[in-house]
Amino acid sequence: MNRTGLICRYLKENPHCTQRELAQKMDLSLGTVNTLLKECIQNKLLAPGKSVAGTCELTDKGLEFLQNFQVDGALIIAAGFGSRFVPLTFETPKGLLEVFGERMIERQIRQLHEAGVYDITIAVGYLKEKFEYLIDKYQVKLLYNPEYSCKNTLATIYRARKVLQGRNMYVLSSDNWIRDNMFHSHECGAWYASSYMKGDTSEWVLSYNKKGRITDIQIGGSDCWVMYGPVYFSREFSEKFLPLLEKAYHTPGTEQFYWEHILMQNIHHLEMDINRQPENQIYEFENLEELRQFDPRYQTRSDNKALELVSTVFQIPESDIHNIRCLKSGMTNKSFLFQVGERHYICRIPGPGSELLVNRRQEAAVYEAIRDLGISEHVVYLDSRTGYKISEYYEGSHNARANHPEEIKACMAILRKLHGSGLTVNHSFDIRERIDFYERLCMAGKGTLFEDYDSVREKMERLMNRLEHLDRPKTLSHIDSNPDNFICLPDGSVRLIDWEYAGMCDPLIDISMCAIYVYYTEEQMNQLAELYLERPADDEERMVIYSYAALGGFLWALWAIYKASLGEEFGEYTLIMYRYAKDYYKKADILWKQLFSSKENPDSI
């Protein structure tokens, strides 16, 4: 930290600041401050003051010198999901949550403005549209990080490197709450804010020398100063740091690195000081429980639909909903785990666009039909209009494993029980209708279809015509019968969950859907059919299973394209599903021609 610059900054901010006050602000002895003042006077940066307190005044040369340390702007990182704040962050990015009636990111922007810092860039990713209003309200800029969902903050800083290059910049986290304004128009060297943690901590611990220079960084410690809150990148610091960051970004294995990993690995070559902050100055809320303790409003009213629903269903205040944590987001819905009393439950929240993809009234009808069959999860609440669902969580359970033969065998037994139950509902799963529907959604959403889409679409039409020609019997089928939807309980029993797509259909569709979801090979698909049928599949059954594998791949590829148009990406899933459509059309076509070889033109059927 440039002490001369600090002296000039403090006197610019408070021309009547005494030597004793300077010593207190700079955490230096009175003698050291006196020596620094004399040096500044000798260098004509300061002139002796005329006040009784003996303060000095900045000269024109001092003001010119201070310009080297003027803050050029701020980068606010706001790209992440904030999984520990579900369900609030399902609707609102963490930085946009209110604390005492003010959004955390807006509080930081306001504090920056008070310090004269107006050039502010916000790095966004998750729910990026939610931040757009800040452009008009505060004239900020938004920088989109397309890697927000698969990489950590190292990638975010890399994406924003041009914003930092050659500039003096604050780097902030949108979800920090800062009590007193700690920002200035001038900063005199790179620093990392730090708070003192009593007892054991898993935070990043700082070691520093007598001058406040950080000398070492370790993860975890006890009774120590830790990285906590804002950071300041001087242009000199960025000149050394950014090349190291770029090199790390292009190094395999750093995808989940924080940018601080690069600082930690190179701290002996980089100059950064500790900026020790008083107790209760900076807050990084780890979860909703901590926020509830800080802002009592969240104990009774979070303004979150899901928590309000849980409160109503169980007739309890929101403060009685505990141990909330995110479950792995499904491909159609989002869900979170919570505790009421001694029991745990799962709340499902319909994902974007699911109101078009899923008929919730039909789903409710299926749950009603299978209620006494004993194969599904225990549903506490299901809204047939919105799709919100609360169900019991089974302690010690796990999703069925696709590579575990005994578990998959038990899953197939559940499907046999379902298909052989004789249960019916008043709606069917019509794959032709679904393909047509998803295709229209893709076209309306300007989804990017495949180059050979038209020819593949024609082949899918041929498969559907052939299946209709066979006129096979229909039973109540699950449709989304992938291993993730089979829950293995500690007592050895299995439950089949998430019946959103269920309806009357050829039961063999459930075999196909299970296989393609876990990317089974043809051999594995045939083994799966044998587990279900308890015998090898005949040629017609194999042809039907392959046909539904192709049609299912085509259907889910369209589904993924539509979801992508809504901002949700599923990586290579779209490509793999489309490949199932093409590859298993060929396999089904061969079997069809063998089955109808006696016909003059089997391909015409």
Side-chain angles (χ1 to χ4, degrees), residues 121-158:
T121 299
I122 303 174
V124 297
Y126 173 69
L127 293 181
K128 58 187 181 299
E129 296 81 7
K130 294 281 189 176
F131 293 94
E132 200 276 339
Y133 81 99
L134 294 170
I135 297 173
D136 299 307
K137 189 170 183 178
Y138 296 105
Q139 292 73 57
V140 303
K141 305 181 192 73
L142 300 187
L143 186 153
Y144 177 62
N145 171 18
E147 299 178 303
Y148 76 91
S149 63
C150 59
K151 293 186 179 181
N152 219 318
T153 59
L154 186 153
T156 303
I157 297 296
Y158 172 80

Side-chain angles (χ1 to χ4, degrees), residues 90-229:
F90 284 149
E91 300 174 2
T92 306
K94 188 178 174 186
L96 293 182
L97 295 178
E98 290 186 0
V99 178
F100 297 120
E102 183 179 28
R103 288 179 158 175
M104 286 188 280
I105 195 170
E106 289 200 40
R107 182 179 181 85
Q108 291 190 58
I109 293 171
R110 177 175 58 78
Q111 290 173 332
L112 287 166
H113 283 189
E114 289 172 358
V117 180
Y118 294 96
D119 190 344
I120 300 169
T121 299
I122 303 174
V124 297
Y126 173 69
L127 293 181
K128 58 187 181 299
E129 296 81 7
K130 294 281 189 176
F131 293 94
E132 200 276 339
Y133 81 99
L134 294 170
I135 297 173
D136 299 307
K137 189 170 183 178
Y138 296 105
Q139 292 73 57
V140 303
K141 305 181 192 73
L142 300 187
L143 186 153
Y144 177 62
N145 171 18
E147 299 178 303
Y148 76 91
S149 63
C150 59
K151 293 186 179 181
N152 219 318
T153 59
L154 186 153
T156 303
I157 297 296
Y158 172 80
R159 293 281 175 176
R161 64 194 184 282
K162 291 183 180 178
V163 175
L164 300 170
Q165 206 161 31
R167 307 177 74 206
N168 293 324
M169 297 286 290
Y170 287 115
V171 178
L172 315 177
S173 295
S174 65
D175 56 1
N176 283 176
W177 188 87
I178 301 169
R179 186 180 299 279
D180 298 320
N181 196 340
M182 59 184 288
F183 305 120
H184 300 275
S185 60
H186 299 77
E187 293 286 356
C188 302
W191 52 255
Y192 205 121
S194 180
S195 296
Y196 190 77
M197 294 287 181
K198 296 178 182 178
D200 294 336
T201 180
S202 59
E203 297 283 352
W204 294 46
V205 177
L206 299 175
S207 299
Y208 56 97
N209 61 24
K210 291 182 180 179
K211 292 186 177 181
R213 179 66 43 78
I214 298 172
T215 57
D216 192 38
I217 302 171
Q218 299 289 334
I219 300 176
S222 182
D223 298 327
C224 47
W225 288 91
V226 303
M227 290 178 162
Y228 211 71

Side-chain angles (χ1 to χ4, degrees), residues 13-69:
E13 291 175 344
N14 183 5
H16 302 293
C17 190
T18 66
Q19 291 187 26
R20 191 171 299 279
E21 288 169 339
L22 282 172
Q24 186 176 10
K25 284 177 180 291
M26 297 177 67
D27 195 20
L28 297 173
S29 68
L30 195 59
T32 301
V33 169
N34 186 47
T35 299
L36 287 169
L37 287 171
K38 287 179 180 178
E39 290 176 357
C40 289
I41 292 172
Q42 288 175 358
N43 293 324
K44 298 184 179 181
L45 302 176
L46 298 176
K50 300 176 181 179
S51 68
V52 178
T55 54
C56 298
E57 298 174 354
L58 268 173
T59 64
D60 290 342
K61 185 177 180 181
L63 288 171
E64 183 180 348
F65 169 74
L66 195 56
Q67 290 307 303
N68 296 316
F69 307 105

